[in-house]
Amino acid sequence: MTVIEEVSVPSPRDGDGGPLLEVRDLHVEFHTREGVVKAVNGVNYSVDAGETLAVLGESGSGKSVTAQAVMGILDMPPAKIPQGEILFRGQDMLKMSGEERRKIRGRRIAMIFQDALSSLNPVLSVGYQLGEMFRVHQGMSKKDAKAKAIELMDRVKIPAAAARVNDYPHQFSGGMRQRIMIAMALALEPDLIIADEPTTALDVTVQAQVMELLADLQREYNMGLILITHDLGVVADVADKIAVMYAGRIVERAPVHELYKRPAHPYTRGLLDSIPRLDQKGQELYAIKGLPPNLLRVPSGCAFNPRCPKAQDICRTDIPDLFPVTEPDGSELVGRASACHFWKETIHG
Amino acid sequence: MGRYVARRLLQMIPVFIGTTLLIFLMVYALPGDPVRGLFGDKAGSPQVIAALRHQYGLDQPILVQYWHYMRDMILHADFGTQIASGRPVTDVLGDAFPVTLRLASLAFVIEVVVGIGLGIMAGMRAGRLTDNVVLLISLLLISVPVFVLGFILKVVFAFQLNWLPPNVNDSTNYNELLMPAIVLAAASLAYVTRLTRTSVAENLRADYIRTAIAKGLPKRRVVGVHLMRNSLIPVITYLGTDIGALMGGAVVTEGLFNIQGIGLTIYQSIVRREGTTLVGLVTILVLIYLVANLLVDLLYAVLDPRIRYA
């Protein structure tokens, strides 16, 4: 009997077998007149080729700032990265020169922003803005770049692309504009796409279409995807794993379906409980009490403690590590971690 | 677009009539008259004065004078006669206009290059030292009156350093025109600087600039294409209206540097109460203003595709 061994052929995209992107102990602070805002405090996460990581959190949780640090588009000053590494294919991008990083931006790592209307240049045609990628990064002629732009618009399913290539952003609908943003990010077939709330500005039916398109293209190109969102509904269908952020830290990490089934952090549980559900019609909707912390004065201990229903004395003094989460019998739960002193109680009972 | 231009051109007609009539009435309301002015201190014989007044039509009611003036101007391109010299006003204009045009063009170039340049420098470093220094200089330029600035420059660059001639003898010599052009440009330059600075600083924070950086574009492209195209829209509007101001606002500067341009001629016409010459000059300036404004509005639509004229 011949056993056909499944040989994992490394795709030409991944280099040394390590993760595509790895963020290690990243800290970002903003130096403002009122004081130092610690926006990101030791974040770790990684994404592989073809994998989707969803980063979930409220505004001010540091999810966008982390992404901007990865992208290298933070305004420094006022932002500062005092500590941490951002490894792209094993190389620390924070140690690279500005020019080296610029060549990665757009070409290897691309970003999709939230509000396509303000994120596209209002006075340049979409064809110009798409073609610019090819002209700048590949030295293509204006004419070829325009042909490529039409091809891209086709690819993201914009009807009558050839006729609309010279139109301006304000002449497109919201969904079409976001498709153009996606096309722009996709232009040079990057290894990693960071989508910062790509569907927040769209209405619900269009949201689903845009998410689906993004997921399809990601599969087709085997790209890594970091999906930043505050919407648990968006995440469920597309993400492989989730990192939940609160006050600049990752508070829980889990494969997507496990997180929904068994949250291991009170904050995640609160988020899940505050989703309206059809089977609880007529009941009052749960809300996490209190407000996200002011990052100038983060509470001591666990930053979530003033809002946490389970908070004890230790929560007010000790910052919890990101503990690995296990089954009650001690067996490992792959890819799960929780930054709660009482994760056991939270997940198991 | 065509209809828009036609409508704007039609709108010029009432503006044109209004401004000319206003000037006519204002000169008429001033005490003194140009014929008496011809005789200086001596009192001319009443018969001669009456004859001259009749010859120039000054004995007729003001509205009839205005009607005749407009009729001759529109039908025969006849702007009347300068009473002091007896020359047709068109000749006087023909002499003065190119001089002012050269002066204004030079001032305009200085205003655009230095103003926008400083504005970009300051805007890119908003809140830092360069920005504060530029803002201080522009404040100084705005607050110092033209005749004071002209006098200071003359003393320093003409009399002490001997770099530039103090007066303009030959108005085709750009070396001589440089100092008056700087004086003329100074205040506008400061406004252009501030306008550019604000616009650049504001657009620098715009989302599409972040996108441009995220696309991996080189900095000169982010600034030169994405930032500039958006930032210069308000500046160009200001520059367009300023063309007219530079042409007509040179009265003090031309007097200060003895430049025989439109400004000086206007001043002399006012002193001599010469309504016809004055109206001719002002008419030209008004037309320049109107056309410059129209061109700016059209250019606006080219720069910003969100604006469409119908």
Side-chain angles (χ1 to χ4, degrees):
Chain A
M1 191 176 133
T2 358
V3 177
I4 302 171
E5 267 185 21
E6 270 204 39
V7 183
S8 77
V9 181
S11 79
R13 289 180 162 273
D14 41 47
D16 51 4
L20 183 62
L21 178 89
E22 193 176 359
V23 175
R24 279 188 196 161
D25 193 27
L26 184 73
H27 291 250
V28 181
E29 48 196 40
F30 291 90
H31 292 251
T32 68
R33 227 167 272 175
E34 288 83 33
V36 179
V37 177
K38 296 194 168 170
V40 177
N41 304 300
V43 161
N44 293 283
Y45 62 57
S46 69
V47 192
D48 288 321
E51 190 181 42
T52 301
L53 164 72
V55 181
L56 200 74
E58 299 168 284
S59 27
S61 62
K63 57 193 196 300
S64 289
V65 174
T66 311
Q68 284 172 20
V70 171
M71 204 62 204
I73 55 172
L74 279 174
D75 275 333
M76 300 202 280
K80 215 173 137 185
I81 302 181
Q83 198 179 326
E85 289 177 325
I86 300 173
L87 305 174
F88 181 67
R89 297 184 172 289
Q91 271 189 305
D92 188 359
M93 292 201 290
L94 294 177
K95 293 204 178 76
M96 290 181 183
S97 71
E99 189 61 14
E100 280 174 301
R101 288 210 78 176
R102 177 179 79 71
K103 286 186 172 150
I104 291 176
R105 273 202 292 276
R107 191 187 314 210
R108 312 290 298 278
I109 306 178
M111 189 150 178
I112 298 167
F113 295 97
Q114 178 178 346
D115 182 1
L117 182 59
S118 65
S119 297
L120 290 167
N121 194 323
V123 303
L124 300 172
S125 73
V126 297
Y128 182 93
Q129 294 185 61
L130 288 168
E132 204 175 23
M133 298 297 284
F134 301 103
R135 289 173 59 201
V136 168
H137 288 283
Q138 297 178 345
M140 212 178 259
S141 76
K142 238 178 174 160
K143 201 170 146 246
D144 293 347
K146 182 168 270 181
K148 279 285 212 180
I150 295 172
E151 204 180 299
L152 274 173
M153 286 167 72
D154 257 335
R155 170 138 286 175
V156 295
K157 305 196 176 85
I158 291 174
R164 304 213 64 184
V165 68
N166 291 324
D167 282 359
Y168 293 89
H170 70 278
Q171 292 167 298
F172 289 85
S173 68
M176 288 299 144
R177 270 198 292 269
Q178 195 54 279
R179 282 166 197 266
I180 288 161
M181 281 301 292
I182 293 174
M184 203 146 81
L186 214 68
L188 303 173
E189 302 184 10
D191 304 332
L192 176 68
I193 286 192
I194 302 174
D196 191 354
E197 311 222 9
T199 60
T200 308
L202 306 174
D203 54 57
V204 183
T205 44
V206 182
Q207 275 186 8
Q209 293 168 11
V210 168
M211 256 347 282
E212 201 177 316
L213 173 74
L214 195 56
D216 284 348
L217 292 166
Q218 182 212 5
R219 259 193 303 278
E220 190 181 332
Y221 292 103
N222 193 34
M223 294 177 298
L225 175 66
I226 297 177
L227 183 64
I228 296 160
T229 182
H230 62 252
D231 186 347
L232 278 160
V234 169
V235 176
D237 300 327
V238 287
D240 298 307
K241 56 186 189 185
I242 295 190
V244 182
M245 286 187 73
Y246 189 82
R249 287 174 204 277
I250 290 183
V251 293
E252 178 164 9
R253 188 166 32 219
V256 65
H257 295 295
E258 300 222 14
L259 185 102
Y260 281 84
K261 255 185 280 166
R262 290 193 298 178
H265 194 283
Y267 177 60
T268 319
R269 161 142 291 170
L271 286 179
L272 291 171
D273 286 347
S274 49
I275 300 174
R277 280 164 49 172
L278 279 177
D279 58 346
Q280 287 174 353
K281 213 168 140 186
Q283 292 177 35
E284 198 181 329
L285 188 63
Y286 177 81
I288 302 174
K289 63 174 184 178
L291 292 170
N294 176 350
L295 290 176
L296 278 165
R297 280 177 295 276
V298 179
S300 63
C302 171
F304 187 60
N305 83 66
R307 306 173 73 186
C308 184
K310 297 199 167 82
Q312 309 285 321
D313 285 343
I314 184 176
C315 300
R316 288 180 262 276
T317 51
D318 291 11
I319 299 176
D321 290 331
L322 197 54
F323 306 107
V325 172
T326 57
E327 292 286 10
D329 62 11
S331 63
E332 193 193 4
L333 281 164
V334 179
R336 293 210 64 167
S338 166
C340 177
H341 294 297
F342 303 101
W343 63 266
K344 269 182 204 147
E345 290 84 336
T346 308
I347 190 171
H348 300 305
Chain B
M1 187 71 154
R3 282 185 58 183
Y4 176 77
V5 174
R7 206 171 67 217
R8 284 291 300 267
L9 289 172
L10 284 176
Q11 277 171 4
M12 285 185 185
I13 295 170
V15 176
F16 177 73
I17 293 173
T19 40
T20 45
L21 183 61
L22 210 60
I23 300 292
F24 227 88
L25 293 176
M26 280 160 76
V27 176
Y28 186 77
L30 289 173
D33 87 57
V35 176
R36 259 183 230 284
L38 281 178
F39 293 91
D41 290 342
K42 284 173 276 181
S45 80
Q47 287 87 354
V48 176
I49 289 179
L52 278 169
R53 287 176 66 88
H54 182 71
Q55 187 193 331
Y56 290 114
L58 297 172
D59 52 349
Q60 285 167 327
I62 178 71
L63 287 176
V64 175
Q65 284 185 43
Y66 178 72
W67 165 248
H68 286 158
Y69 181 80
M70 291 305 278
R71 188 190 56 199
D72 288 348
M73 174 157 61
I74 292 164
L75 294 182
H76 311 295
D78 176 7
F79 283 64
T81 309
Q82 189 182 39
I83 294 170
S85 62
R87 297 167 64 206
V89 171
T90 38
D91 277 12
V92 178
L93 271 174
D95 287 347
F97 194 69
V99 177
T100 295
L101 195 64
R102 273 193 292 272
L103 178 66
S105 308
L106 190 57
F108 191 69
V109 170
I110 294 172
E111 179 184 339
V112 168
V113 173
V114 181
I116 294 183
L118 283 178
I120 293 173
M121 258 173 63
M124 299 283 293
R125 298 169 182 79
R128 289 194 251 159
L129 183 67
T130 324
D131 182 31
N132 288 321
V133 170
V134 169
L135 283 183
L136 200 70
I137 292 172
S138 68
L139 185 66
L140 217 68
L141 286 180
I142 291 171
S143 23
V144 174
V146 171
F147 51 90
V148 175
L149 181 67
F151 182 71
I152 294 171
L153 289 187
K154 264 194 186 190
V155 168
V156 175
F157 292 103
F159 300 131
Q160 294 194 336
L161 294 170
N162 255 324
W163 286 357
L164 292 166
N167 285 315
V168 177
N169 297 316
D170 171 12
S171 69
T172 54
N173 183 342
Y174 281 98
N175 207 21
E176 291 187 3
L177 280 179
L178 186 60
M179 196 149 61
I182 292 173
V183 172
L184 182 58
S188 307
L189 186 153
Y191 284 117
V192 169
T193 303
R194 290 187 156 224
L195 205 58
T196 311
R197 177 221 173 252
T198 309
S199 188
V200 165
E202 194 181 286
N203 280 299
L204 209 51
R205 289 194 300 268
D207 285 349
Y208 61 83
I209 291 298
R210 194 183 54 184
T211 310
I213 297 169
K215 280 163 88 176
L217 305 182
K219 183 153 191 206
R220 57 172 193 283
R221 194 173 177 87
V222 175
V223 173
V225 177
H226 289 265
L227 183 61
M228 281 309 120
R229 272 296 298 271
N230 285 281
S231 300
L232 290 185
I233 293 171
V235 180
I236 284 171
T237 318
Y238 176 78
L239 286 174
T241 53
D242 203 44
I243 292 178
L246 285 179
M247 301 282 301
V251 177
V252 178
T253 312
E254 290 189 356
L256 208 59
F257 291 92
N258 187 36
I259 300 167
Q260 305 295 324
I262 288 189
L264 205 57
T265 317
I266 286 180
Y267 173 71
Q268 287 160 354
S269 306
I270 294 172
V271 171
R272 294 194 195 116
R273 309 285 182 272
E274 285 210 23
T276 46
T277 315
L278 202 54
V279 174
L281 291 165
V282 173
T283 305
I284 298 287
L285 289 180
V286 167
L287 283 178
I288 291 174
Y289 239 105
L290 292 176
V291 172
N293 266 322
L294 177 60
L295 288 179
V296 165
D297 282 349
L298 295 180
L299 191 61
Y300 215 73
V302 175
L303 286 174
D304 191 341
R306 285 168 296 184
I307 295 168
R308 281 284 168 267
Y309 297 121

